[in-house]
Amino acid sequence: MIQSSSDRIVSALRTWIAAAPAGAQLPSTRKLVAQFEVSPVTVQKALRALIGQGVIESRPGVGTFVCAVRTARPSDYGWQTAALGSPQHRPPVSSSALRTTPNDVIALHSGYPDRELLPERLVRAAFARAARSEAAVSRPPAAGLPELQSWFAAELGAITPAGLTTPAASDVVILPGSQSGLSTLFRTLVGVGRPLLIESPSYWGAMLAAAQVGVQLVPIPSGPRGPSPDDLDRAFAQTGARAFYAQPNFAHPTGGQWTPDLSDTVLGIVREHGAFLIEDDWAHDFGIAADSAPIAARDDSGHVVCIRSLTKSVSPSVRVAGLIARGPARDRILADTQAQAMYVSSALQAVAVDVVTQPAWRTHLRSLRRQLTHRRDLLVDALREHTPAAHLDAVPRGGLNLWLRLPDDTNLPRLTHACEAQGVIIAAGDEWFPAEPTGRYLRLNYSGPNPNAFPDAARIIGQALTTRH
C-alpha cells in the first residue's frame, strides 16, 4: 500500500516522539516542511492526526509539544465508608427480570410484555398530541390531572357493588409508576421498623421497596389459590401489623387469583384488626380467562388502598400509576409523594389519559387477551411435553407468568447457567420469596418476544433438568 505524505510524517514523528521526553517541543512547521519536502498543509494534516491520537498538544502562539504520559490514579473512596456507616437495611440485588439480553436468545425472564403486545400506534399518536398541547410546558396539580384521576376512579366505580360508595376523582393520587408508589405506601401506612404482612412468594419489587424503607416483612404462605385466612389472622394477632400487601388478581409470580369468598374473608380480617390491605392490581389489563376484580371495589371504609399501574399495559416509557385511597391515609400518601417527586410529568399523564380513553384502547385489550391466551397455552403445552420433571400447580387465568415447580434437588444456579449457555434466559424463583425459599421454582414470562421459540426453550430446560446434577 502506498503511504501518503501525511502518513509518512506521522510515522516519522511518532518515532521521534517515542524517544523524546514528555513536554519536548516539536520542530516548527517551517522546519518540518523543509525536512519532508512537503507543503505546510500536509504538515498541518499530520500534526492534527497526532493531536487526535493524544500524543502531542498544540499551544497557540507557542508551538507543539509532546504530551505528558498520564497514568490514571485509582480513585480512593475509602473515606465514604466512615461517613456513610453500615447500612441499616441492605436492599436485595436487582432482579434478573430487569436484565437486557441480545436478540438472538430466547428470553423467558423479563417482567415486561413484548413490544408487539403494546398499543404502539395509540402511544405514538398520544405523544405527538401531548407535545403540541399545554401539557408539554405546564405543571400539573400535585395529585394529578383531573381527567386522569377521574378515569381511574371510574374504572373502579364501574365494578363497585350497589349500596357502596363509588370512589371519587379526589380519592385518586397519580404516581410516577407503581414502584415509587409502593415505597410511599410502606413509608406512610407501615413505617420504619414496623411489620408488613406479605404473601410468599410475592413481587420482588415490593420486597425491594420494603428494604429501602426499612419495613420488616412477615411472610404469609400463598399460592395459586391465595393465602390461608387462618395464617393471615394469626399473623396480624402475633405481630400487631397494620398492613397486608397482596395481589389478589393474577399474582406475580404465581398467577393466582383469589375467589370472591376469599376476598371477602380477607377484607373482614383486615377490618377486624383495624389494618390496611395494600392491593397491587398490577395485572388489571392482562386478564385471559377472567377479569381482574379488585377488592378495593368491595370497600368504601378506607381499609383497602389500591394501586394500578399503566406502565406494562400502555408502554414502559409511560411510568404512570393511579392510587386510590380514602380519608387521612390519602392525605399522608399525597404529602409523601410531593416530598419525593412533587408531581408526575404533565406530558406523561396526558399521554396516559389519551391512550386509555381512545375507543381503540378497548379493541387493543380484546386483541391482547387473545394473544396472551395463545402465548400462555403455547408455553404450557411445550413445558408439559418437554419438561416432565417440572410441575405446574395451576394454569394462570391472567397475568404474564408461569410459576413452575422443580424437583427439590435442583441446583438452580447451575440450571440457569446451563440454559443460558444454550441461549435460553430464565428467572430462578428464589428472589420472589421474602424469606427462605420453600422449594425450587422458575418464573417464566410467556409475554416476551418470539413465542414460536417456546417449544425449543422448553426442550432446552427439560434437557438441562435431566442433567442438573
Side-chain angles (χ1 to χ4, degrees), residues 248-264:
N249 291 281
F250 320 132
H252 191 179
T254 65
Q257 185 178 31
W258 300 1
T259 65
D261 286 345
L262 177 60
S263 297
D264 287 338

Side-chain angles (χ1 to χ4, degrees), residues 133-219:
S133 72
E134 286 296 314
V137 292
S138 63
R139 178 175 63 84
L145 293 182
E147 52 267 46
L148 187 55
Q149 289 178 289
S150 296
W151 181 83
F152 275 111
E155 284 279 295
L156 191 60
I159 57 174
T160 298
L164 295 180
T165 304
T166 58
S170 58
D171 296 325
V172 178
V173 177
I174 303 302
L175 304 167
S178 62
Q179 189 62 32
S180 122
L182 292 177
S183 296
T184 285
L185 288 172
F186 297 164
R187 196 162 34 240
T188 56
L189 303 185
V190 183
V192 177
R194 295 281 301 168
L196 169 68
L197 308 187
I198 183 172
E199 291 178 287
S200 178
S202 187
Y203 172 45
W204 67 267
M207 291 179 263
L208 176 62
Q212 290 175 330
V213 170
V215 166
Q216 176 190 352
L217 293 178
V218 179

